[in-house]
Amino acid sequence: MQFDTIIRDGTVVTASDTYASDIGITSGRIAAIARDLPADSARTLLDAKGFLVIPGGIDVHTHLDMPFGGTTSSDDFETGTRAAAFGGTTTLIDFAIQYKGQSLRQALDTWMKKAEAKAVADYAFHCIITDVAAAQLEEMGALVREGISTFKLFMAYPGVFMLDDATIFRAMLQAAKHGGMICMHAENGGAIDVIVRRALAEGKTAPKYHALTRPTTAEGEATSRAIALAEMAGAPVYIVHLSCNDALEKVREARDRGLPVYAETCPQYLYLSLDNFDAPGFEGAKYVFTPPLREKWHQEKLWQGLARDTLQVVSTDHCPFCFKEQKELGKDDFTKIPNGGPGVEHRLSLIYSGGVHGGKFSANRFVELVSTAPAKLFGLYPRKGTIAVGSDADLVVFDPNAEQVISAKTHHMRVDYSMFEGIRVRGLPKVVLSRGRVIVQDGKFTGRAGAGEFIRRQTFSGPAM
Ligand SMILES: [Zn+2]
């Protein structure tokens, strides 16, 4: 048997197994997993001795090239997918946004154009629906058939994205009918809006008030309501960027009752807290995103949630805005600060470091959280999310003991600060392959813009996990 590439002598780690093996790659796919594949049977040999070989990371929540609050997120599909690759993430699921009056198809076309010539690794889309009339409900089935099997709805941002319960319920019924799934931004936007207006009227305009006006109760309530609506609709629901124990408890109760309820959290909620708003001057704006940072004690609850499978996925909600000129739009009013933070590059290292080295879960659970569960829940499995014969050769040779101090000076995201500045991580990607091509090796980018492909996702396959 002839291979394009053999990864030799690595320790293969999947969501279920850990074993020593070589991996043979042909035409972008894994063709053989065996000990001692003959060295002369491949054009390229990659030595993985002493390192782990894991499936490429899948980040199911990013916002590249996204207009928001009069500006646009600072990473496009080239810089964003490249930074992701440096961090060991080889597939992104971004969001195509349907604006009022548009068809879902128009949203998809717009985002396909943004990504097509730029992405260095594979990508897929969820569709954000902001205007759910009969026509758009009708169109959901067609989108599912084209590989857009998940739809994001908002219970927050009144007047912009927020939908009422009846509309959410209708969309859930429709998603369930076509094998799709609803991803929910769960915060009680109506109550938050009143609290925000009151704060502004009292002259509270600093960045920290973004966090202080969005109580955890608002997230807990909306999470509970989203779950109830999904239960009545007989639909699965996925809670995005879960940030606090209030919401975690609701998800745990629902899963204990056997409901197909899933949730993700993000590294910022595991590593950062309200304390970050003590930063001098306007620097708290670096941590303005939604849901906001919480009191520190929530972090431990979220780590436990990941270990105990109350939370199934770690994504990043990567939505970078530069501190200069972009975050500064809200200098005198926190409601004008573009919401979002950069994180796509450091997800694997932060979760390996805190989770595996931190003694909270195994390397297998780490792989499950950053790759396998995202692939299964979002219709990419087994093409992606595991190491198996026939799967795409999206692979990461991962050095579990290499250390790095995260800094904006050395990161690859197109943004002028890091949320995780100064945090030391242990566990770094060494070589990253996308469909068999080496795109990052020892800190050098060797990929190409436009090489990434749009991946049509399968329908939601039921509560298999
Ligand atoms: Zn988001």
Side-chain angles (χ1 to χ4, degrees):
M1 202 165 179
Q2 285 293 310
F3 303 103
D4 298 333
T5 303
I6 292 175
I7 301 177
R8 300 181 77 189
D9 291 331
T11 298
V12 174
V13 181
T14 67
S16 55
D17 300 300
T18 304
Y19 55 92
S21 185
D22 298 345
I23 295 175
I25 298 165
T26 303
S27 303
R29 294 187 174 208
I30 296 168
I33 302 171
R35 301 291 279 267
D36 305 319
L37 291 173
D40 59 4
S41 64
R43 282 200 302 265
T44 308
L45 290 174
L46 294 170
D47 182 15
K49 199 171 178 57
F51 303 122
L52 311 182
V53 183
I54 61 174
I58 299 172
D59 191 339
V60 302
H61 191 155
T62 65
H63 299 280
L64 301 175
D65 202 355
M66 184 190 81
F68 186 93
T71 186
T72 301
S73 61
S74 60
D75 269 319
D76 63 14
F77 278 83
E78 181 171 353
T79 63
T81 55
R82 194 175 59 208
F86 271 104
T89 291
T90 51
T91 306
L92 302 184
I93 310 183
D94 206 271
F95 293 85
I97 306 177
Q98 176 244 5
Y99 295 103
K100 303 236 184 270
Q102 284 187 333
S103 67
L104 304 185
R105 155 64 51 195
Q106 281 172 302
L108 181 58
D109 288 348
T110 303
W111 258 264
M112 288 287 250
K113 274 199 206 86
K114 287 174 189 266
E116 232 159 41
K118 291 190 171 176
V120 311
D122 294 349
Y123 56 93
F125 292 108
H126 313 276
C127 184
I128 290 178
I129 318 183
T130 66
D131 180 7
V132 194
Q136 282 85 12
L137 280 174
E138 199 49 50
E139 222 186 332
M140 285 171 71
L143 242 69
V144 171
R145 286 189 291 280
E146 288 196 51
I148 314 294
S149 49
T150 39
F151 302 88
K152 186 180 177 191
L153 308 180
F154 287 80
M155 301 171 100
Y157 301 119
V160 187
F161 291 128
M162 192 171 104
L163 301 174
D164 62 42
D165 290 353
T167 308
I168 290 169
F169 187 62
R170 270 187 219 108
M172 283 175 163
L173 286 169
Q174 193 72 356
K177 179 172 151 193
H178 293 286
M181 181 165 66
I182 298 297
C183 301
M184 190 65 80
H185 179 128
E187 277 186 305
N188 187 316
I192 287 169
D193 209 36
V194 173
I195 302 170
V196 166
R197 280 165 208 265
R198 191 179 61 192
L200 288 178
E202 290 169 357
K204 295 169 174 167
T205 58
K208 71 174 173 193
Y209 291 106
H210 171 81
L212 298 177
T213 54
R214 308 186 83 90
T216 57
T217 314
E219 188 180 337
E221 183 281 325
T223 301
S224 170
R225 186 155 37 100
I227 291 168
L229 291 168
E231 184 176 6
M232 288 187 279
V237 66
Y238 180 88
I239 308 296
V240 296
H241 50 42
L242 187 147
S243 75
C244 63
N245 192 54
D246 309 49
L248 188 72
E249 289 294 339
K250 309 297 184 195
V251 172
R252 191 202 326 272
E253 284 167 24
R255 290 178 61 80
D256 282 351
R257 288 202 289 125
L259 295 174
V261 172
Y262 309 94
E264 65 181 17
T265 190
C266 313
Q268 51 271 37
Y269 305 117
L270 297 162
Y271 276 85
L272 310 176
S273 72
L274 279 179
D275 300 349
N276 287 83
F277 290 102
D278 295 339
F282 182 64
E283 282 194 40
K286 294 175 176 175
Y287 310 100
V288 168
F289 39 76
T290 309
L293 292 175
R294 306 301 193 182
E295 288 175 8
K296 210 175 172 62
W297 65 269
H298 291 273
Q299 292 175 359
E300 197 51 41
K301 297 289 183 185
L302 296 176
W303 281 111
Q304 283 170 11
L306 292 172
R308 297 173 188 171
D309 205 37
T310 306
L311 301 170
Q312 294 73 46
V313 173
V314 179
S315 70
T316 62
D317 197 8
H318 177 75
C319 188
F321 295 102
C322 289
F323 184 66
K324 289 252 165 279
E325 287 172 19
Q326 293 194 297
K327 289 287 188 181
E328 281 175 355
L329 291 168
K331 234 178 162 34
D332 305 313
D333 175 353
F334 70 85
T335 66
K336 304 230 161 57
I337 300 171
N339 279 204
V344 76
E345 185 169 348
H346 299 114
R347 183 178 61 123
L348 268 60
S349 288
L350 286 164
I351 300 308
Y352 194 88
S353 224
V356 182
H357 286 305
K360 295 183 166 70
F361 44 73
S362 67
N364 306 99
R365 178 62 179 161
F366 158 76
V367 169
E368 187 163 35
L369 289 165
V370 301
S371 181
T372 312
K376 286 183 175 174
L377 277 170
F378 290 96
L380 294 165
Y381 191 86
R383 177 170 176 188
K384 300 198 184 284
T386 193
I387 296 178
V389 171
S391 293
D392 281 358
D394 290 0
L395 296 164
V396 178
V397 178
F398 193 82
D399 182 344
N401 292 310
E403 295 195 14
Q404 184 186 52
V405 176
I406 296 176
S407 174
K409 293 193 191 80
T410 49
H411 74 200
H412 301 86
M413 300 177 286
R414 191 162 69 190
V415 61
D416 60 359
Y417 76 96
S418 173
M419 290 196 285
F420 304 108
E421 186 74 38
I423 292 179
R424 178 180 291 273
V425 288
R426 186 165 154 221
L428 292 170
K430 191 173 160 57
V431 186
V432 179
L433 295 90
S434 167
R435 277 182 283 104
R437 294 166 295 114
V438 172
I439 59 171
V440 171
Q441 187 159 21
D442 296 315
K444 285 211 173 51
F445 179 67
T446 55
R448 170 175 72 74
E453 281 179 9
F454 169 69
I455 308 290
R456 278 168 193 263
R457 294 183 291 120
Q458 292 146 28
T459 52
F460 179 77
S461 51
M465 29 183 326

